[in-house]
Amino acid sequence: FFSLLFRRLSAPKSKVDQLKELYDSGKPVNLEKEDPHVVGALLKQYLRELPNPLFPVALNTEFFSALVPEDKAKSKKQILEVVKKIPENNKRVLKRVLKMLSEVSKEPETKMTPQNLAVCFVPNLFGGSDYGSDALRQQATFQMLVTYMIEDADNITKVL
């Protein structure tokens, strides 16, 4: 199941919309028998449609400054400090998302490394911000940030 969850294959939009409608109406939803692509698409749609991205735009500069490419341990320590500044509601959701992504990355059959998961999730976690001519560098920075967070999920979720 996990091996298919976040691949870039498209899920039937009608099915995703149907499940979203059930959730939105408060009806029970059983995802265990659903196609993994549908479940992954539903989660990513939920994250994209939040009123504000899980990673507030106001903290982007601090997250960028926290990354020290040549010192992963220092980066993870500094990221931990910035994560503490995320609003409480965002922290609750981010905690669950990071735990799940960490679990997925540890399943050998998934072939989804923290880096692969970061590529899939960055657009959904940071919102659709337009960074102009610097967009590729910003995207790569976000991916490195999320990769480190997935790798260090046990420590990060303790402060969330």
Side-chain angles (χ1 to χ4, degrees):
F1 179 79
F2 280 138
S3 65
L4 301 173
L5 193 58
F6 302 117
R7 299 290 168 120
R8 291 195 176 253
L9 299 174
S10 61
K13 183 172 175 9
S14 59
K15 185 63 177 175
V16 174
D17 290 344
Q18 177 188 14
L19 290 171
K20 182 183 180 301
E21 189 175 315
L22 287 173
Y23 267 113
D24 289 347
S25 66
K27 294 179 181 167
V29 180
N30 181 358
L31 298 176
E32 290 181 26
K33 295 180 181 178
E34 294 296 336
D35 180 287
H37 298 102
V38 172
V39 176
L42 183 63
L43 174 61
K44 291 190 284 185
Q45 182 174 341
Y46 166 78
L47 294 170
R48 272 192 314 273
E49 291 180 358
L50 289 172
N52 297 301
L54 283 185
F55 289 92
V57 174
L59 293 177
N60 284 357
T61 303
E62 289 184 61
F63 277 120
F64 292 154
S65 297
L67 289 171
V68 183
E70 63 278 355
D71 191 343
K72 192 183 248 188
K74 184 176 181 178
S75 291
K76 288 181 179 182
K77 184 178 178 184
Q78 292 178 171
I79 290 167
L80 199 58
E81 292 305 310
V82 181
V83 164
K84 293 176 184 177
K85 298 177 183 182
I86 292 175
E88 288 304 314
N89 287 337
N90 296 39
K91 285 180 184 179
R92 283 191 283 275
V93 176
L94 184 58
K95 182 177 187 172
R96 297 217 182 242
V97 169
L98 282 177
K99 281 183 175 184
M100 186 259 320
L101 292 176
S102 176
E103 287 178 30
V104 169
S105 74
K106 292 174 185 172
E107 290 290 329
E109 72 273 5
T110 68
K111 299 177 184 171
M112 293 298 284
T113 65
Q115 295 88 351
N116 292 343
L117 291 166
V119 168
C120 292
F121 271 84
V122 160
N124 307 297
L125 296 172
F126 288 90
S129 302
D130 178 23
Y131 298 104
S133 63
D134 213 17
L136 288 178
R137 188 181 68 81
Q138 301 260 356
Q139 187 80 358
T141 303
F142 284 144
Q143 288 172 5
M144 184 184 304
L145 171 70
V146 172
T147 297
Y148 287 179
M149 292 181 80
I150 294 169
E151 291 172 349
D152 201 29
D154 290 339
N155 289 323
I156 291 176
T157 56
K158 288 177 188 174
V159 301
L160 293 174

